[in-house]
Amino acid sequence: MMAKFKIKKGDDVKIITGDDKGKIGKVLSVLPKKSQVIVEGCKIAKKAIKPSEKNPKGGFINKEMPMDISNVALVEG
């Protein structure tokens, strides 16, 4: 059985721990099975991508990574 969270996609949240502490961002997605959220502009990682038809050169992209839902707090407003 999955836990039910008060935080939903599109909500504004504040990061309460970690490198991005104090930042406010919008929830892009919620991963209930892992108890994680992806927040816009927070926990950015540089990922290598292989060349493909869409991106023939390959290279690096900046991507938001999931963080534990206990590290964010819902912002009222």
Side-chain angles (χ1 to χ4, degrees):
M1 189 171 134
M2 286 188 290
K4 194 162 184 160
F5 301 111
K6 292 181 181 180
I7 297 172
K8 306 226 180 321
K9 181 179 176 180
D11 287 347
D12 289 326
V13 293
K14 183 175 184 178
I15 311 301
I16 56 176
T17 60
D19 293 338
D20 296 320
K21 182 178 181 178
K23 285 188 181 179
I24 295 176
K26 190 172 291 253
V27 175
L28 298 176
S29 66
V30 179
L31 309 169
K33 288 185 178 178
K34 294 182 177 181
S35 298
Q36 294 181 329
V37 291
I38 298 175
V39 181
E40 182 179 35
C42 296
K43 198 170 178 190
I44 301 290
K46 189 170 267 196
K47 302 291 282 183
I49 55 171
K50 292 182 178 181
S52 64
E53 281 189 28
K54 188 176 179 183
N55 189 359
K57 281 188 141 188
F60 296 95
I61 60 168
N62 292 327
K63 183 177 178 182
E64 289 98 357
M65 300 303 289
M67 67 175 64
D68 199 80
I69 202 161
S70 66
N71 295 341
V72 298
L74 194 58
V75 174
E76 296 294 327

